[in-house]
Amino acid sequence: MEAELESLKFPNPNIISINGIELEVFEAGKENMGNPIVLCHGFPEHAFSWRYQIPALAKAGFHVIVPNQRGYGNSSCPKEVTAYDITHLTDDLVALLDFYNYRDAVFVGHDWGANVVWNLALLHPERVNKIINLALPYQERGEKPWIQFMEEFFGDDFYFVHFNKKPGVADAVLENHTENFLRNLFRKNVPLAPPEPGMLMMNLAKADKPLGEPMLNEDDLSVFVKAFKNSGFNGAINWYRNLDRNWHILADIDPIIKQPTLMIYGNLDMIPKFERLKDFVPNLDVISLACGHHIQQELPQETNQSILKWLGQFNA
C-alpha cells in the first residue's frame, strides 16, 4: 500500500460542458463504467486532494469521477455571487451524472464538498445511491439564517461572517499570500486551541510560524498553489456568500436523508461532531480517525480502508 501511494500518477483532466459552465473533471477506472463514485473536494482544495483515494477506488471496481467544482482549478468561475448557491452546485453534479448517462452514484464529500453532497441528497435524492462524508457533518437548518446565527454566536471576525460582511477583503489577502496561506493551512498534528484574535484565514495567510507539521510535500503543495494562482479565491469564497440564500432555498425541503451513509470524523478536527446526526441521517455509520481536518490526505491508508470496508458490505 505504501509503495502504491508513493507512485501515484494523477489522471489527466477533461473539460466537460454541463449546466451552462465548464467543469474540469478527472477520471479513473473507466473500465468500470456502470459503477460510478463521485468525489467532491472542499475549501480551499482541488480534485487533487483525492489523489490517494482515486487509484484505490478504481482498483476496487469503481468508475471514479472527480470534478473541480465551479470556482476551482480550470473549471468555470462565474462572476455572479448567486451562481454559487446550493441549487447551482448540486445541479452541476446532477448534470455530471447525466453526461455519463448515470441514474445515480455513490457520492463522497469532504468539507464544503460534504455540504454539497448532504444537500444533493435533499434536493435530488433519486440521484444519490450512498453517501460518504468526511469532516463536515450534516448542518441542521435552524430558525435563523446561518450567517446571522454565526455572527451572533462567533462574532464578525468568524471567517464565514467576514466573507459575507466584508466582500473582497479576504479574497485579496489570500491572493496576495497564496503560497504562504496554503502552506500554513495544510498542516497536521495541529493542537486544538482557542482561535487567535482576528480572522482565521487571513491570519493563516500572514503567519510566519504556523502550528503543527506540514502535510504536503513541495510537489503536492505546488499543485494547489498553481491552481489558486490561476483561479484566485473569489469563486471559492462565493460558496460562503450563499449560505443565507441556501437557508431560504432549503426552507420547504424534507430534512431527512434516507440513503446509507458513512460519516468519517477526524478526532483532532476543530469542527465538532454532530451528536444528533442520526436524527437526520437514520441509516448511518460513523468512524473517527486519529487526525485533523484533512482526513483523506492526513491518513490516506486508513481513509481508503474505511471507505472500502464500508462499501464492501453492500456487495457481500
Side-chain angles (χ1 to χ4, degrees):
M1 173 73 79
E2 288 182 4
E4 185 176 306
L5 293 181
E6 288 298 320
S7 62
L8 293 177
K9 185 178 186 306
F10 199 68
N12 292 321
N14 293 311
I15 300 297
I16 296 174
S17 296
I18 55 169
N19 199 30
I21 62 166
E22 291 185 334
L23 285 187
E24 182 181 27
V25 180
F26 302 82
E27 286 181 78
K30 292 181 183 179
E31 67 276 11
N32 305 319
M33 290 287 289
N35 193 25
I37 189 166
V38 182
L39 312 183
C40 302
H41 65 78
F43 171 89
E45 292 186 336
H46 187 279
F48 188 71
S49 64
W50 297 109
R51 62 198 174 280
Y52 297 117
Q53 287 67 53
I54 292 171
L57 290 167
K59 186 177 180 180
F62 289 93
H63 177 202
V64 189
I65 303 167
V66 194
N68 267 330
Q69 298 178 84
R70 61 170 66 201
Y72 286 87
N74 290 314
S75 293
S76 296
C77 297
K79 293 182 179 180
E80 303 80 8
V81 171
T82 55
Y84 298 86
D85 69 16
I86 200 62
T87 299
H88 287 86
L89 295 175
T90 55
D91 283 354
D92 287 349
L93 297 180
V94 169
L96 193 59
L97 291 184
D98 290 343
F99 176 85
Y100 290 104
N101 294 315
Y102 285 134
R103 181 179 66 85
D104 58 19
V106 178
F107 280 88
V108 185
H110 172 253
D111 184 77
W112 247 112
N115 183 269
V116 175
V117 171
W118 292 125
N119 287 297
L120 178 67
L122 295 180
L123 294 168
H124 301 280
E126 73 286 355
R127 309 308 296 266
V128 181
N129 184 287
K130 300 175 189 69
I131 296 168
I132 301 170
N133 274 337
L134 286 67
L136 187 76
Y138 179 96
Q139 303 298 292
E140 180 180 2
R141 185 185 181 278
E143 295 181 357
K144 295 180 180 179
W146 282 309
I147 297 302
Q148 179 185 341
F149 168 78
M150 291 177 185
E151 185 173 16
E152 292 175 2
F153 199 82
F154 297 111
D156 58 7
D157 270 339
F158 185 59
Y159 66 99
F160 285 66
V161 179
H162 191 286
F163 284 154
N164 280 272
K165 298 292 185 178
K166 298 179 181 179
V169 175
D171 315 43
V173 171
L174 302 190
E175 286 167 15
N176 287 334
H177 301 82
T178 296
E179 183 168 349
N180 201 54
F181 170 57
L182 294 169
R183 187 186 302 277
N184 292 345
L185 180 82
F186 288 115
R187 311 282 291 183
K188 61 184 179 180
N189 299 324
V190 177
L192 289 174
E196 296 180 356
M199 197 275 219
L200 171 65
M201 297 296 173
M202 291 166 60
N203 287 350
L204 282 171
K206 298 176 180 179
D208 292 326
K209 296 180 179 179
L211 299 174
E213 307 161 20
M215 192 179 72
L216 305 178
N217 62 38
E218 289 299 313
D219 288 341
D220 289 348
L221 177 64
S222 70
V223 175
F224 292 92
V225 172
K226 182 179 178 181
F228 281 101
K229 283 188 174 179
N230 176 56
S231 68
F233 288 90
N234 184 255
I237 292 174
N238 279 342
W239 290 34
Y240 290 87
R241 296 184 176 124
N242 280 281
L243 279 168
D244 282 357
R245 181 177 170 83
N246 297 346
W247 184 86
H248 289 287
I249 289 170
L250 297 169
D252 299 319
I253 302 297
D254 178 0
I256 304 303
I257 289 176
K258 302 174 178 65
Q259 290 86 346
T261 300
L262 174 65
M263 179 69 215
I264 304 178
Y265 289 111
N267 281 334
L268 297 177
D269 196 346
M270 67 178 182
I271 297 177
K273 298 177 182 179
F274 183 25
E275 299 302 332
R276 294 190 299 113
L277 183 57
K278 203 170 181 69
D279 292 347
F280 294 92
V281 191
N283 198 354
L284 175 71
D285 292 301
V286 176
I287 293 174
S288 295
L289 298 179
C291 61
H293 182 66
H294 303 284
I295 297 168
Q296 77 272 34
Q297 298 185 84
E298 289 185 50
L299 292 179
Q301 292 175 260
E302 292 85 344
T303 301
N304 291 353
Q305 290 164 359
S306 299
I307 289 173
L308 292 172
K309 182 179 179 180
W310 186 79
L311 288 171
Q313 69 182 310
F314 298 98
N315 301 319

